[in-house]
Amino acid sequence: MRQISTLSEWRAATEDIRQSGQRVGVIPTMGALHEGHRSLIQRAIDDGTTPCVTIFVNPRQFNDEVDLHAYPQPLDDDLARCREWGVAYVLTPTIQEMWPSYPQATATTVQVAGVTEEFEGAGRPGHFDGVASVVTKLFVVTGPSTAYFGEKDFQQLAMVRRLVLDMGFDIDIVGCPIVRDDKGLALSSRNARLSPTGRTAALAISRALKWAADTPRTVDEIDHHVRAALIQAGIDVAYVAVVNQETLQTDIVDGSARVLVAGIVEGVRLLDNAPVVIRKDDTTCC
Ligand code: AMP
């Protein structure tokens, strides 16, 4: 495995991969790697691409300085994991390498309208502009054939698909299922900040989603049950929404939809979601 910290070396290394007839599979991350990240890397390997992981805590996607500074950065552990998991190349750029004018504002921003406006976009102003900008830059310098993203960040995945469509990037976007711990909690680098009590409370989220996904239900049933379950567990509900899986709007046409949830536990914002089937009698249609 080779660790690279400059964009010029990264560009050259990924060019070498292409020249040798291999496909580049990129897995963008912010580090603090766990089994969720591993599943993306494994999928890249299974697809026969050369797995290239990027580790960059992108300050432009944090609208909260406290959250940015609390973000774990165990680089040595991450590199050891990448080596163990079969990663070929890891990009670990400094902030200045990625955003040369930092800490001054970067003049160029990539903005994807529509899918970014509600949910995480409403709760975290500027977040998706930061993600779209860094993902675009990583795509341009890496030239991947495939890029791997988790369904854990469902709105981010929808945004990246739209970005690739609009910009004409010749990149397959692969969405990978959410990896959970043995109790059902969706793995996240932020879970480390939860106390044992907080972890127990957080389980109400995946439990409620499991209930919603178990059998076809109406939108109202899902909304009321999930919301009530979170409130009962003492979770501060940021949103619960049942949406069309592509548009993230309420135009659910074929009965299949996604429940998106964000809740705050001990100051930690937890995201989760699940596919659901909406019972016909409550399907909102055009
Ligand atoms: P992050 O390092 O949190 O920015 O995540 C990097 C990538 O890993 C994103 O595409 C996430 O959606 C994905 N990811 C994070 N947690 C999980 C999980 N529990 N299961 C599957 N993918 C995940």
PDB file of all heavy atoms in Angstrom, residues 199-230:
ATOM      1  N   ARG A 199     -25.719   5.440  23.900  1.00  0.00           N
ATOM      2  CA  ARG A 199     -25.775   4.350  22.911  1.00  0.00           C
ATOM      3  C   ARG A 199     -27.084   3.587  23.009  1.00  0.00           C
ATOM      4  O   ARG A 199     -27.706   3.260  22.000  1.00  0.00           O
ATOM      5  CB  ARG A 199     -24.640   3.351  23.170  1.00  0.00           C
ATOM      6  CG  ARG A 199     -23.523   3.509  22.231  1.00  0.00           C
ATOM      7  CD  ARG A 199     -22.364   2.609  22.584  1.00  0.00           C
ATOM      8  NE  ARG A 199     -21.253   3.071  21.780  1.00  0.00           N
ATOM      9  CZ  ARG A 199     -20.941   2.577  20.595  1.00  0.00           C
ATOM     10  NH1 ARG A 199     -21.598   1.570  20.087  1.00  0.00           N
ATOM     11  NH2 ARG A 199     -19.953   3.091  19.895  1.00  0.00           N
ATOM     12  N   THR A 200     -27.487   3.309  24.247  1.00  0.00           N
ATOM     13  CA  THR A 200     -28.746   2.577  24.451  1.00  0.00           C
ATOM     14  C   THR A 200     -29.910   3.392  23.908  1.00  0.00           C
ATOM     15  O   THR A 200     -30.785   2.858  23.213  1.00  0.00           O
ATOM     16  CB  THR A 200     -28.940   2.278  25.962  1.00  0.00           C
ATOM     17  OG1 THR A 200     -27.773   1.600  26.405  1.00  0.00           O
ATOM     18  CG2 THR A 200     -30.157   1.417  26.207  1.00  0.00           C
ATOM     19  N   ALA A 201     -29.922   4.689  24.208  1.00  0.00           N
ATOM     20  CA  ALA A 201     -31.006   5.547  23.706  1.00  0.00           C
ATOM     21  C   ALA A 201     -31.016   5.546  22.180  1.00  0.00           C
ATOM     22  O   ALA A 201     -32.078   5.443  21.538  1.00  0.00           O
ATOM     23  CB  ALA A 201     -30.832   6.965  24.238  1.00  0.00           C
ATOM     24  N   ALA A 202     -29.809   5.607  21.593  1.00  0.00           N
ATOM     25  CA  ALA A 202     -29.684   5.703  20.135  1.00  0.00           C
ATOM     26  C   ALA A 202     -30.286   4.494  19.421  1.00  0.00           C
ATOM     27  O   ALA A 202     -30.712   4.588  18.263  1.00  0.00           O
ATOM     28  CB  ALA A 202     -28.214   5.858  19.745  1.00  0.00           C
ATOM     29  N   LEU A 203     -30.323   3.362  20.126  1.00  0.00           N
ATOM     30  CA  LEU A 203     -30.857   2.142  19.498  1.00  0.00           C
ATOM     31  C   LEU A 203     -32.329   2.273  19.109  1.00  0.00           C
ATOM     32  O   LEU A 203     -32.819   1.536  18.251  1.00  0.00           O
ATOM     33  CB  LEU A 203     -30.698   0.947  20.440  1.00  0.00           C
ATOM     34  CG  LEU A 203     -29.257   0.502  20.690  1.00  0.00           C
ATOM     35  CD1 LEU A 203     -29.214  -0.644  21.680  1.00  0.00           C
ATOM     36  CD2 LEU A 203     -28.616   0.087  19.360  1.00  0.00           C
ATOM     37  N   ALA A 204     -33.014   3.245  19.737  1.00  0.00           N
ATOM     38  CA  ALA A 204     -34.430   3.463  19.400  1.00  0.00           C
ATOM     39  C   ALA A 204     -34.577   3.803  17.913  1.00  0.00           C
ATOM     40  O   ALA A 204     -35.600   3.484  17.288  1.00  0.00           O
ATOM     41  CB  ALA A 204     -35.006   4.586  20.255  1.00  0.00           C
ATOM     42  N   ILE A 205     -33.553   4.419  17.340  1.00  0.00           N
ATOM     43  CA  ILE A 205     -33.635   4.837  15.928  1.00  0.00           C
ATOM     44  C   ILE A 205     -33.711   3.604  15.018  1.00  0.00           C
ATOM     45  O   ILE A 205     -34.648   3.465  14.220  1.00  0.00           O
ATOM     46  CB  ILE A 205     -32.422   5.729  15.529  1.00  0.00           C
ATOM     47  CG1 ILE A 205     -32.370   6.983  16.405  1.00  0.00           C
ATOM     48  CG2 ILE A 205     -32.495   6.076  14.044  1.00  0.00           C
ATOM     49  CD1 ILE A 205     -31.156   7.875  16.162  1.00  0.00           C
ATOM     50  N   SER A 206     -32.739   2.712  15.157  1.00  0.00           N
ATOM     51  CA  SER A 206     -32.733   1.548  14.249  1.00  0.00           C
ATOM     52  C   SER A 206     -33.911   0.623  14.528  1.00  0.00           C
ATOM     53  O   SER A 206     -34.454   0.001  13.615  1.00  0.00           O
ATOM     54  CB  SER A 206     -31.407   0.796  14.332  1.00  0.00           C
ATOM     55  OG  SER A 206     -31.108   0.466  15.661  1.00  0.00           O
ATOM     56  N   ARG A 207     -34.324   0.568  15.823  1.00  0.00           N
ATOM     57  CA  ARG A 207     -35.488  -0.262  16.167  1.00  0.00           C
ATOM     58  C   ARG A 207     -36.740   0.254  15.447  1.00  0.00           C
ATOM     59  O   ARG A 207     -37.502  -0.508  14.855  1.00  0.00           O
ATOM     60  CB  ARG A 207     -35.703  -0.232  17.672  1.00  0.00           C
ATOM     61  CG  ARG A 207     -35.800  -1.611  18.267  1.00  0.00           C
ATOM     62  CD  ARG A 207     -36.022  -1.670  19.758  1.00  0.00           C
ATOM     63  NE  ARG A 207     -36.156  -0.436  20.467  1.00  0.00           N
ATOM     64  CZ  ARG A 207     -35.262   0.038  21.347  1.00  0.00           C
ATOM     65  NH1 ARG A 207     -34.164  -0.637  21.606  1.00  0.00           N
ATOM     66  NH2 ARG A 207     -35.468   1.176  21.962  1.00  0.00           N
ATOM     67  N   ALA A 208     -36.923   1.564  15.478  1.00  0.00           N
ATOM     68  CA  ALA A 208     -38.110   2.163  14.847  1.00  0.00           C
ATOM     69  C   ALA A 208     -38.052   1.982  13.320  1.00  0.00           C
ATOM     70  O   ALA A 208     -39.075   1.707  12.675  1.00  0.00           O
ATOM     71  CB  ALA A 208     -38.192   3.637  15.200  1.00  0.00           C
ATOM     72  N   LEU A 209     -36.860   2.086  12.768  1.00  0.00           N
ATOM     73  CA  LEU A 209     -36.727   1.907  11.311  1.00  0.00           C
ATOM     74  C   LEU A 209     -37.014   0.460  10.917  1.00  0.00           C
ATOM     75  O   LEU A 209     -37.617   0.197   9.877  1.00  0.00           O
ATOM     76  CB  LEU A 209     -35.322   2.310  10.848  1.00  0.00           C
ATOM     77  CG  LEU A 209     -35.047   3.821  10.849  1.00  0.00           C
ATOM     78  CD1 LEU A 209     -33.597   4.094  10.468  1.00  0.00           C
ATOM     79  CD2 LEU A 209     -35.985   4.541   9.886  1.00  0.00           C
ATOM     80  N   LYS A 210     -36.589  -0.453  11.771  1.00  0.00           N
ATOM     81  CA  LYS A 210     -36.827  -1.870  11.493  1.00  0.00           C
ATOM     82  C   LYS A 210     -38.341  -2.122  11.490  1.00  0.00           C
ATOM     83  O   LYS A 210     -38.869  -2.804  10.616  1.00  0.00           O
ATOM     84  CB  LYS A 210     -36.133  -2.720  12.556  1.00  0.00           C
ATOM     85  CG  LYS A 210     -36.054  -4.180  12.241  1.00  0.00           C
ATOM     86  CD  LYS A 210     -34.993  -4.837  13.114  1.00  0.00           C
ATOM     87  CE  LYS A 210     -34.877  -6.323  12.825  1.00  0.00           C
ATOM     88  NZ  LYS A 210     -36.130  -7.051  13.092  1.00  0.00           N
ATOM     89  N   TRP A 211     -39.022  -1.533  12.458  1.00  0.00           N
ATOM     90  CA  TRP A 211     -40.480  -1.648  12.535  1.00  0.00           C
ATOM     91  C   TRP A 211     -41.106  -1.102  11.239  1.00  0.00           C
ATOM     92  O   TRP A 211     -41.972  -1.738  10.634  1.00  0.00           O
ATOM     93  CB  TRP A 211     -40.991  -0.867  13.757  1.00  0.00           C
ATOM     94  CG  TRP A 211     -42.487  -0.816  13.854  1.00  0.00           C
ATOM     95  CD1 TRP A 211     -43.291  -1.704  14.511  1.00  0.00           C
ATOM     96  CD2 TRP A 211     -43.353   0.164  13.258  1.00  0.00           C
ATOM     97  NE1 TRP A 211     -44.607  -1.332  14.357  1.00  0.00           N
ATOM     98  CE2 TRP A 211     -44.673  -0.203  13.595  1.00  0.00           C
ATOM     99  CE3 TRP A 211     -43.143   1.304  12.477  1.00  0.00           C
ATOM    100  CZ2 TRP A 211     -45.779   0.539  13.178  1.00  0.00           C
ATOM    101  CZ3 TRP A 211     -44.240   2.041  12.058  1.00  0.00           C
ATOM    102  CH2 TRP A 211     -45.538   1.661  12.409  1.00  0.00           C
ATOM    103  N   ALA A 212     -40.629   0.046  10.799  1.00  0.00           N
ATOM    104  CA  ALA A 212     -41.193   0.673   9.601  1.00  0.00           C
ATOM    105  C   ALA A 212     -40.980  -0.183   8.358  1.00  0.00           C
ATOM    106  O   ALA A 212     -41.837  -0.234   7.469  1.00  0.00           O
ATOM    107  CB  ALA A 212     -40.566   2.050   9.399  1.00  0.00           C
ATOM    108  N   ALA A 213     -39.829  -0.882   8.315  1.00  0.00           N
ATOM    109  CA  ALA A 213     -39.465  -1.635   7.115  1.00  0.00           C
ATOM    110  C   ALA A 213     -40.057  -3.045   7.097  1.00  0.00           C
ATOM    111  O   ALA A 213     -40.059  -3.706   6.058  1.00  0.00           O
ATOM    112  CB  ALA A 213     -37.942  -1.715   7.003  1.00  0.00           C
ATOM    113  N   ASP A 214     -40.561  -3.479   8.262  1.00  0.00           N
ATOM    114  CA  ASP A 214     -41.043  -4.854   8.412  1.00  0.00           C
ATOM    115  C   ASP A 214     -42.151  -5.268   7.451  1.00  0.00           C
ATOM    116  O   ASP A 214     -42.185  -6.390   6.965  1.00  0.00           O
ATOM    117  CB  ASP A 214     -41.603  -5.036   9.830  1.00  0.00           C
ATOM    118  CG  ASP A 214     -40.557  -5.671  10.710  1.00  0.00           C
ATOM    119  OD1 ASP A 214     -39.483  -5.983  10.182  1.00  0.00           O
ATOM    120  OD2 ASP A 214     -40.821  -5.837  11.914  1.00  0.00           O
ATOM    121  N   THR A 215     -43.070  -4.343   7.203  1.00  0.00           N
ATOM    122  CA  THR A 215     -44.258  -4.662   6.416  1.00  0.00           C
ATOM    123  C   THR A 215     -44.769  -3.363   5.779  1.00  0.00           C
ATOM    124  O   THR A 215     -44.441  -2.279   6.266  1.00  0.00           O
ATOM    125  CB  THR A 215     -45.319  -5.302   7.356  1.00  0.00           C
ATOM    126  OG1 THR A 215     -46.388  -5.787   6.553  1.00  0.00           O
ATOM    127  CG2 THR A 215     -45.862  -4.327   8.382  1.00  0.00           C
ATOM    128  N   PRO A 216     -45.548  -3.431   4.687  1.00  0.00           N
ATOM    129  CA  PRO A 216     -46.061  -2.191   4.091  1.00  0.00           C
ATOM    130  C   PRO A 216     -46.898  -1.384   5.098  1.00  0.00           C
ATOM    131  O   PRO A 216     -47.719  -1.952   5.816  1.00  0.00           O
ATOM    132  CB  PRO A 216     -46.919  -2.690   2.929  1.00  0.00           C
ATOM    133  CG  PRO A 216     -46.318  -4.004   2.572  1.00  0.00           C
ATOM    134  CD  PRO A 216     -45.869  -4.609   3.873  1.00  0.00           C
ATOM    135  N   ARG A 217     -46.656  -0.089   5.160  1.00  0.00           N
ATOM    136  CA  ARG A 217     -47.373   0.789   6.093  1.00  0.00           C
ATOM    137  C   ARG A 217     -47.688   2.098   5.392  1.00  0.00           C
ATOM    138  O   ARG A 217     -47.110   2.401   4.346  1.00  0.00           O
ATOM    139  CB  ARG A 217     -46.502   1.079   7.320  1.00  0.00           C
ATOM    140  CG  ARG A 217     -46.100  -0.168   8.089  1.00  0.00           C
ATOM    141  CD  ARG A 217     -45.276   0.200   9.312  1.00  0.00           C
ATOM    142  NE  ARG A 217     -44.707  -0.983   9.944  1.00  0.00           N
ATOM    143  CZ  ARG A 217     -45.369  -1.819  10.726  1.00  0.00           C
ATOM    144  NH1 ARG A 217     -46.648  -1.588  10.996  1.00  0.00           N
ATOM    145  NH2 ARG A 217     -44.775  -2.873  11.254  1.00  0.00           N
ATOM    146  N   THR A 218     -48.555   2.892   6.016  1.00  0.00           N
ATOM    147  CA  THR A 218     -48.851   4.202   5.422  1.00  0.00           C
ATOM    148  C   THR A 218     -47.769   5.204   5.852  1.00  0.00           C
ATOM    149  O   THR A 218     -47.080   4.999   6.857  1.00  0.00           O
ATOM    150  CB  THR A 218     -50.223   4.735   5.881  1.00  0.00           C
ATOM    151  OG1 THR A 218     -50.138   5.028   7.276  1.00  0.00           O
ATOM    152  CG2 THR A 218     -51.342   3.744   5.608  1.00  0.00           C
ATOM    153  N   VAL A 219     -47.659   6.280   5.099  1.00  0.00           N
ATOM    154  CA  VAL A 219     -46.678   7.321   5.414  1.00  0.00           C
ATOM    155  C   VAL A 219     -46.939   7.871   6.815  1.00  0.00           C
ATOM    156  O   VAL A 219     -46.016   8.050   7.624  1.00  0.00           O
ATOM    157  CB  VAL A 219     -46.744   8.459   4.363  1.00  0.00           C
ATOM    158  CG1 VAL A 219     -45.940   9.674   4.822  1.00  0.00           C
ATOM    159  CG2 VAL A 219     -46.245   7.973   3.009  1.00  0.00           C
ATOM    160  N   ASP A 220     -48.221   8.115   7.126  1.00  0.00           N
ATOM    161  CA  ASP A 220     -48.563   8.673   8.442  1.00  0.00           C
ATOM    162  C   ASP A 220     -48.190   7.729   9.583  1.00  0.00           C
ATOM    163  O   ASP A 220     -47.667   8.158  10.604  1.00  0.00           O
ATOM    164  CB  ASP A 220     -50.067   8.988   8.520  1.00  0.00           C
ATOM    165  CG  ASP A 220     -50.379  10.277   7.790  1.00  0.00           C
ATOM    166  OD1 ASP A 220     -49.418  10.975   7.405  1.00  0.00           O
ATOM    167  OD2 ASP A 220     -51.573  10.562   7.587  1.00  0.00           O
ATOM    168  N   GLU A 221     -48.458   6.446   9.366  1.00  0.00           N
ATOM    169  CA  GLU A 221     -48.098   5.462  10.406  1.00  0.00           C
ATOM    170  C   GLU A 221     -46.596   5.513  10.695  1.00  0.00           C
ATOM    171  O   GLU A 221     -46.184   5.535  11.849  1.00  0.00           O
ATOM    172  CB  GLU A 221     -48.414   4.039   9.902  1.00  0.00           C
ATOM    173  CG  GLU A 221     -49.777   3.497  10.264  1.00  0.00           C
ATOM    174  CD  GLU A 221     -50.058   2.170   9.535  1.00  0.00           C
ATOM    175  OE1 GLU A 221     -49.166   1.619   8.838  1.00  0.00           O
ATOM    176  OE2 GLU A 221     -51.185   1.716   9.667  1.00  0.00           O
ATOM    177  N   ILE A 222     -45.833   5.520   9.624  1.00  0.00           N
ATOM    178  CA  ILE A 222     -44.370   5.513   9.796  1.00  0.00           C
ATOM    179  C   ILE A 222     -43.931   6.787  10.497  1.00  0.00           C
ATOM    180  O   ILE A 222     -43.183   6.760  11.483  1.00  0.00           O
ATOM    181  CB  ILE A 222     -43.663   5.375   8.421  1.00  0.00           C
ATOM    182  CG1 ILE A 222     -43.961   3.992   7.832  1.00  0.00           C
ATOM    183  CG2 ILE A 222     -42.159   5.591   8.553  1.00  0.00           C
ATOM    184  CD1 ILE A 222     -43.470   3.789   6.407  1.00  0.00           C
ATOM    185  N   ASP A 223     -44.425   7.895  10.001  1.00  0.00           N
ATOM    186  CA  ASP A 223     -44.024   9.180  10.573  1.00  0.00           C
ATOM    187  C   ASP A 223     -44.343   9.236  12.071  1.00  0.00           C
ATOM    188  O   ASP A 223     -43.481   9.569  12.882  1.00  0.00           O
ATOM    189  CB  ASP A 223     -44.741  10.298   9.811  1.00  0.00           C
ATOM    190  CG  ASP A 223     -44.173  11.651  10.165  1.00  0.00           C
ATOM    191  OD1 ASP A 223     -43.163  12.005   9.543  1.00  0.00           O
ATOM    192  OD2 ASP A 223     -44.701  12.315  11.077  1.00  0.00           O
ATOM    193  N   HIS A 224     -45.573   8.869  12.428  1.00  0.00           N
ATOM    194  CA  HIS A 224     -45.986   8.961  13.837  1.00  0.00           C
ATOM    195  C   HIS A 224     -45.213   7.991  14.717  1.00  0.00           C
ATOM    196  O   HIS A 224     -44.726   8.356  15.782  1.00  0.00           O
ATOM    197  CB  HIS A 224     -47.496   8.686  13.980  1.00  0.00           C
ATOM    198  CG  HIS A 224     -48.319   9.790  13.409  1.00  0.00           C
ATOM    199  ND1 HIS A 224     -49.554   9.596  12.824  1.00  0.00           N
ATOM    200  CD2 HIS A 224     -48.073  11.112  13.312  1.00  0.00           C
ATOM    201  CE1 HIS A 224     -50.020  10.758  12.396  1.00  0.00           C
ATOM    202  NE2 HIS A 224     -49.139  11.688  12.679  1.00  0.00           N
ATOM    203  N   HIS A 225     -45.085   6.755  14.253  1.00  0.00           N
ATOM    204  CA  HIS A 225     -44.422   5.742  15.093  1.00  0.00           C
ATOM    205  C   HIS A 225     -42.946   6.092  15.316  1.00  0.00           C
ATOM    206  O   HIS A 225     -42.456   6.030  16.443  1.00  0.00           O
ATOM    207  CB  HIS A 225     -44.544   4.352  14.454  1.00  0.00           C
ATOM    208  CG  HIS A 225     -43.843   3.298  15.257  1.00  0.00           C
ATOM    209  ND1 HIS A 225     -44.487   2.529  16.204  1.00  0.00           N
ATOM    210  CD2 HIS A 225     -42.535   2.905  15.291  1.00  0.00           C
ATOM    211  CE1 HIS A 225     -43.602   1.710  16.771  1.00  0.00           C
ATOM    212  NE2 HIS A 225     -42.415   1.918  16.220  1.00  0.00           N
ATOM    213  N   VAL A 226     -42.240   6.430  14.230  1.00  0.00           N
ATOM    214  CA  VAL A 226     -40.795   6.670  14.351  1.00  0.00           C
ATOM    215  C   VAL A 226     -40.552   7.893  15.244  1.00  0.00           C
ATOM    216  O   VAL A 226     -39.732   7.858  16.167  1.00  0.00           O
ATOM    217  CB  VAL A 226     -40.140   6.831  12.955  1.00  0.00           C
ATOM    218  CG1 VAL A 226     -38.674   7.215  13.089  1.00  0.00           C
ATOM    219  CG2 VAL A 226     -40.287   5.543  12.147  1.00  0.00           C
ATOM    220  N   ARG A 227     -41.293   8.955  14.984  1.00  0.00           N
ATOM    221  CA  ARG A 227     -41.168  10.165  15.782  1.00  0.00           C
ATOM    222  C   ARG A 227     -41.411   9.872  17.282  1.00  0.00           C
ATOM    223  O   ARG A 227     -40.611  10.251  18.142  1.00  0.00           O
ATOM    224  CB  ARG A 227     -42.226  11.165  15.303  1.00  0.00           C
ATOM    225  CG  ARG A 227     -41.751  12.547  15.121  1.00  0.00           C
ATOM    226  CD  ARG A 227     -42.852  13.351  14.413  1.00  0.00           C
ATOM    227  NE  ARG A 227     -42.537  13.551  13.015  1.00  0.00           N
ATOM    228  CZ  ARG A 227     -41.649  14.435  12.585  1.00  0.00           C
ATOM    229  NH1 ARG A 227     -41.018  15.207  13.430  1.00  0.00           N
ATOM    230  NH2 ARG A 227     -41.393  14.569  11.295  1.00  0.00           N
ATOM    231  N   ALA A 228     -42.506   9.164  17.554  1.00  0.00           N
ATOM    232  CA  ALA A 228     -42.869   8.872  18.950  1.00  0.00           C
ATOM    233  C   ALA A 228     -41.802   8.012  19.623  1.00  0.00           C
ATOM    234  O   ALA A 228     -41.443   8.235  20.784  1.00  0.00           O
ATOM    235  CB  ALA A 228     -44.224   8.166  18.990  1.00  0.00           C
ATOM    236  N   ALA A 229     -41.264   7.040  18.885  1.00  0.00           N
ATOM    237  CA  ALA A 229     -40.251   6.144  19.462  1.00  0.00           C
ATOM    238  C   ALA A 229     -38.993   6.930  19.841  1.00  0.00           C
ATOM    239  O   ALA A 229     -38.379   6.695  20.880  1.00  0.00           O
ATOM    240  CB  ALA A 229     -39.908   5.039  18.467  1.00  0.00           C
ATOM    241  N   LEU A 230     -38.618   7.877  18.994  1.00  0.00           N
ATOM    242  CA  LEU A 230     -37.417   8.674  19.270  1.00  0.00           C
ATOM    243  C   LEU A 230     -37.645   9.580  20.477  1.00  0.00           C
ATOM    244  O   LEU A 230     -36.805   9.665  21.377  1.00  0.00           O
ATOM    245  CB  LEU A 230     -37.038   9.513  18.039  1.00  0.00           C
ATOM    246  CG  LEU A 230     -36.015   8.868  17.097  1.00  0.00           C
ATOM    247  CD1 LEU A 230     -36.484   7.541  16.534  1.00  0.00           C
ATOM    248  CD2 LEU A 230     -35.623   9.815  15.979  1.00  0.00           C
TER     249      LEU A 230
END
